[in-house]
Amino acid sequence: MNIDAKEIELIVQKVLENIDVKTLSTPKADNGEDGVFDHVEEAIEAAYQAQRRWVKDYNLEDRKRIIAAIRRVSEEHAEELAKMVRKETGMGRYEDKVKKHLAVIRKTPGVECLTTDAISGDEGLMIEECAPFGVIGAITPSTNPTETIINNTISMTAGGNAVVFNVHPGAKRCCTYCLKLLHKTIVENGGPANLITMQKEPAMETVNTITASPKIRLMAGTGGMGMVDALLRSGKKTIGAGAGNPPVVVDDTADIPYAAKEIYRGASFDNNLLCLAEKEVFVMDSVADQLVEALEKEGAYLLNSRQLEVITSFAMLNKDGIFQINKKWVGKDAALFLEEIGICDHKDTRLLICETDARHPFVRLEQLMPVLPIVRCRTFEECVKQAVLAENGNRHTSSIFSKNVDHMTIFGKEIETTIYTKNGATLRGIGIGGEGYTTMTIAGPTGEGLTCARSFTRKRRCMLAEGGLRIV
Ligand code: NAD
């Protein structure tokens, strides 16, 4: 092929023009404000560059130091954050939100859980290490908004990752404040800018952009099943922490006053906003009266069938016989429900209880309200069967009050939940009054369980053959 000088010049010019266009369309990574960007593409690019620095220029001691600073600053602001979340979302209880913040601040593990597996044998030394994914896209819920940002920031950056958050639009002000606070702390303590980022106006479309970006190597979604399913359908590797509807079984060997105390505490905590909070009780007939009486002694208000009917009519939306929760009533105080039905002298009650059958929408739907249905069952086996149906395959959380070890084992095997609490409020299962670490991202659907830094890493194997480095 013969090409003259003029043609070559034209080709070169075209190539240069193209390079120019590409350079212009690359998102800028330097125009965010404390990690908050106008455009999600910029938030992704900035986090990408920060993550490269986080793994190249910083070591594990740096990660430890910066995470310690995040804990310190978050604890100083725990009350303020709890107040902001309560004000913006209008859900839950301030004093419980303070406890949730302190739990994630103090009990989310850092780099210490990034342990190395090793096998040493005749054919050499094999080690498997926890390596970062890169940039993680994290979707956060309205029910634990800033708690999830703090928890995910510690876990994900401890694992060597950067994070682009897509927060719930209904909690964007408190989340933006929290993200900027943590971002400033990272930078003031010598860490890279934009290790955590978000888009100023989060929306469903931004979730799609994050998921589709080749620079995002992992999605971590904390919220309802609609969101988790959407992430799983996207084809991107996903850690999905979805809905729960935790049942409680109470058998005839249980310490009933103690069970009532724990159930009251757990089901009323933050007005039942926690995905792992007790949502319905299946109790053996022979101890049902005793349990209801004991719950009333703890402070619960027992609704009669008429009162329950009225509450169901406004707290649930009935579309042609199919019930959905009315989001306006999610996480509201028990006293507000009572006021709505004309009862104004029970301002201190934190929990409403009611007797229902197993098919009632308050049993079958994850309602996130301080209204606890109690279902009488003739036998233990019936309790188990109904509890499994109510849990709906979420594999999230369940609990039992019993002194019968066989019952504990049978229910545990049948229910298959990620968290299974015996003789205690379910919130003990995430380390609030129980052993073990805390997380706000409980990945039942995808199987990572209670997530920590290790969950947000990928395994890399290094093999030293020929006995290299072995000393035995
Ligand atoms: P939600 O599902 O309405 O919102 C969660 C997040 O997902 C938000 O950021 C929202 O903007 C986004 N989102 C919602 N639908 C989406 C879709 N189709 N595509 C992409 N993104 C979408 O949940 P919520 O009301 O904020 O939180 C309560 C729910 O979260 C409950 O179901 C609760 O059980 C669950 N939850 C689970 C865990 C867990 O660890 N498993 C923790 C907290 C909350």
Side-chain angles (χ1 to χ4, degrees), residues 178-190:
C178 180
L179 187 130
K180 284 185 169 185
L181 186 70
L182 302 191
H183 185 278
K184 267 189 202 153
T185 306
I186 293 169
V187 173
E188 279 168 15
N189 284 276

Side-chain angles (χ1 to χ4, degrees), residues 251-270:
D251 78 6
D252 55 358
T253 67
D255 177 339
I256 299 295
Y258 171 75
K261 200 184 183 70
E262 288 290 294
I263 293 170
Y264 183 84
R265 191 166 77 89
S268 65
F269 185 84
D270 208 21

Side-chain angles (χ1 to χ4, degrees), residues 139-140 142 144 168 204 222-224 227 241-243 275 366 396 440 442:
I139 318 291
T140 57
S142 59
N144 314 314
H168 194 289
M204 293 303 181
T222 309
M227 180 270 294
C275 51
E366 185 206 33
H396 198 296
M440 287 287 134
I442 301 155

